[in-house]
Amino acid sequence: LAVMAGEASLARCCDFRTGEHPRHRLRPEDVPQAARSRQVRLLARLIELGLPVDARDERQATALIHAAGQGETELVAQLL
């Protein structure tokens, strides 16, 4: 509907590929969860949508902490 209405930016925001969307209302805790799960595309999407890159999960860890702890250098570079 957004595309048909000429709202390309809205359509892009709503365009989650199968399996990417966390299946609930987006929240800041989804950012570190995506990093912990190594979901690089989802993490980039969440940040693009304006979720805080420095959000913390239930253990007070950020996406950067998860990425660095897993040796995900590409993801660390993306987060910096």
Side-chain angles (χ1 to χ4, degrees):
L1 292 173
V3 172
M4 291 172 54
E7 297 290 340
S9 61
L10 177 60
R12 194 174 65 252
C13 284
C14 296
D15 183 23
F16 280 93
R17 304 289 177 219
T18 304
E20 275 189 353
H21 195 282
R23 305 227 182 264
H24 57 258
R25 180 176 284 176
L26 298 179
R27 57 183 187 240
E29 301 84 39
D30 293 332
V31 175
Q33 175 59 39
R36 185 171 54 216
S37 303
R38 296 180 170 155
Q39 294 179 300
V40 178
R41 287 188 341 202
L42 175 59
L43 180 60
R45 190 72 159 136
L46 295 173
I47 293 169
E48 178 185 359
L49 291 172
L51 277 92
V53 70
D54 59 349
R56 295 178 182 268
D57 64 12
E58 68 280 352
R59 295 181 281 181
Q60 298 303 307
T62 64
L64 183 60
I65 289 171
H66 287 298
Q70 295 173 21
E72 295 284 344
T73 55
E74 185 176 323
L75 192 52
V76 168
Q78 179 184 352
L79 291 165
L80 293 175

